[in-house]
């Protein structure tokens, strides 16, 4: 009797929890691009800002996990996490932060939406043949990428263009490289990648001469706190929870929702301007990403949940 009551009640609670977690991933991660812009405008250098917030977030997550009895990573696992931290946090997120010195937050989010396209190509290089629908999505998505880079406002900002081309490629390569590697639990892996990636970004910022020119503004500081707590910890926790409770396709749907949220928030809160060319390219890219996602959902069996790497999500976050 108790078992049947429990079985009836659980879906309702689970449905609400899924909705809340999806809303967190959609809204929080969609807003982090604007948070990065506000932090930069508030006087924070890009690499020092990104490195500092990931290092602190990773340290807090690592400490909490260890206090809860989580096993510390082995030396081999630290090496793997360090390489993933370099590719996905250091180069992936670092390039987004650098690009937003010249490019609007919404346009940066649109460019990063191309990540699944690169992941499809790198998967092909590893011998994983895409389905017909995935090929269609890759082709459509790259048409959108070419369209975005050829005539949008990105063409007037060459350094931003280069950074936003490198970021999704590095992130996608790191995501595909991580498959099958010796890594700790998903949460510990996320903490380790933030720790190593954040440290490398801090060092890169110091080596390249980044420095603070005066006291950062309150708005900029609050933006960094928001990025660290909401973007790196709360949003990340919600995403990892989703990976363990829903299909990976649904958990990964943030990839084509975040750019829309970022564009809307940029226009609303920062008066960012977008041309019809920009919005058209975004629509084509997102259409390609949706096609890839549907193709994977139809042909690929659901992977073991413990094997999914959560840090493969947090590029602009």
């Amino acid at each position: 009797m108790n078992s049947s009551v429990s079985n009836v009640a659980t879906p309702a609670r689970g449905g609400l929890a899924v909705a809340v977690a999806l809303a967190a991933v959609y809204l929080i991660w969609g807003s982090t691009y604007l948070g990065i812009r506000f932090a930069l405008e508030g006087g924070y250098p890009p690499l020092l800002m990104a490195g500092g917030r990931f290092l602190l977030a990773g340290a807090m997550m690592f400490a909490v996990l260890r206090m809860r009895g989580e096993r510390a990573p082995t030396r081999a696992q630290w090496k793997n996490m360090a390489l993933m931290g370099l590719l996905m946090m250091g180069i992936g997120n670092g390039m987004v932060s650098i690009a937003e010195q010249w490019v609007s937050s919404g346009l940066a989010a649109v460019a990063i939406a191309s990540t699944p396209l690169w992941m499809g190509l790198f998967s092909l290089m590893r011998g994983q043949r895409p389905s017909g629908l995935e090929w269609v999505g890759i082709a459509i998505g790259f048409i959108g990428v070419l369209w975005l880079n050829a005539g949008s406002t990105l063409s007037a900002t060459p350094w931003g263009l280069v950074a936003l081309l490198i970021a999704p490629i590095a992130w996608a390569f790191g995501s595909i490289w991580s498959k099958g590697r010796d890594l700790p639990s998903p949460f510990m892996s996320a903490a380790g990648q933030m720790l190593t990636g954040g440290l490398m970004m801090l060092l890169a910022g110091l080596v390249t001469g980044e420095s603070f020119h005066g006291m950062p503004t309150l708005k900029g500081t609050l933006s960094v706190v928001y990025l660290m707590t909401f973007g790196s910890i709360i949003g990340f926790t919600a995403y990892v929870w989703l990976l363990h409770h829903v299909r990976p396709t649904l958990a990964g749907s943030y990839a084509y929702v975040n750019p829309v949220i970022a564009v809307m928030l940029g226009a609303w809160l920062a008066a960012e301007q977008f041309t019809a060319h920009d919005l058209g390219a975004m629509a084509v890219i997102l259409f390609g990403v949706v096609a890839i996602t549907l193709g994977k959902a139809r042909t690929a069996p659901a992977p073991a949940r413990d094997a999914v790497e959560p840090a493969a999500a947090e590029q602009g976050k």
Side-chain angles (χ1 to χ4, degrees), residues 79-113:
K79 290 180 180 179
N80 289 334
M81 290 189 298
L83 183 54
M84 293 170 66
L86 170 64
L87 290 169
M88 295 194 285
M89 302 295 176
I91 301 178
N93 187 275
M95 285 295 172
V96 172
S97 299
I98 289 173
E100 286 202 38
Q101 295 177 104
W102 308 284
V103 177
S104 69
S105 62
L107 203 56
V110 172
I112 298 307

Side-chain angles (χ1 to χ4, degrees), residues 70-314:
E70 188 85 21
R71 182 179 301 174
T74 66
R75 179 176 299 182
Q77 290 172 339
W78 274 115
K79 290 180 180 179
N80 289 334
M81 290 189 298
L83 183 54
M84 293 170 66
L86 170 64
L87 290 169
M88 295 194 285
M89 302 295 176
I91 301 178
N93 187 275
M95 285 295 172
V96 172
S97 299
I98 289 173
E100 286 202 38
Q101 295 177 104
W102 308 284
V103 177
S104 69
S105 62
L107 203 56
V110 172
I112 298 307
S114 66
T115 300
L117 311 178
W118 296 105
M119 291 179 68
L121 289 183
F122 287 130
S123 294
L124 179 62
M125 294 171 61
R126 291 191 60 175
Q128 301 174 8
R129 294 181 60 84
S131 66
L133 187 55
E134 286 179 88
W135 273 120
V136 171
I138 290 173
I140 292 174
F142 274 112
I143 290 173
V145 171
L146 292 174
W147 186 5
L148 180 69
N149 293 332
S152 72
T153 50
L154 271 179
S155 60
T157 56
W159 289 113
L161 170 61
V162 171
L164 289 179
L165 282 174
I166 294 174
I169 294 174
W171 192 273
F173 182 79
S175 300
I176 299 302
W177 180 89
S178 70
K179 303 300 182 183
R181 303 290 173 177
D182 179 19
L183 294 167
S185 69
F187 282 110
M188 183 59 78
S189 179
Q193 290 172 58
M194 285 192 283
L195 275 169
T196 56
L199 179 60
M200 284 184 273
M201 277 191 279
L202 279 178
L203 294 176
L206 294 174
V207 169
T208 56
E210 285 190 356
S211 62
F212 289 87
H213 302 287
M215 182 68 68
T217 65
L218 177 61
K219 181 179 180 180
T221 301
L222 291 177
S223 297
V224 174
V225 173
Y226 174 82
L227 289 169
M228 181 179 67
T229 55
F230 283 83
S232 295
I233 297 178
I234 296 177
F236 214 80
T237 301
Y239 179 72
V240 173
W241 185 89
L242 284 170
L243 287 177
H244 286 76
H245 291 83
V246 302
R247 290 182 61 83
T249 302
L250 179 60
S253 60
Y254 75 90
Y256 46 86
V257 176
N258 285 171
V260 178
I261 297 293
V263 167
M264 293 173 60
L265 289 176
W268 176 34
L269 298 176
E272 293 181 350
Q273 301 292 321
F274 301 95
T275 66
H277 188 113
D278 299 332
L279 297 178
M282 177 183 73
V284 173
I285 292 172
L286 297 185
F287 185 71
V289 172
V290 170
I292 292 173
T293 304
L294 292 176
K296 289 180 178 179
R298 289 181 180 180
T299 60
R305 298 192 189 280
D306 290 341
V308 179
E309 280 310 311
E314 198 186 338

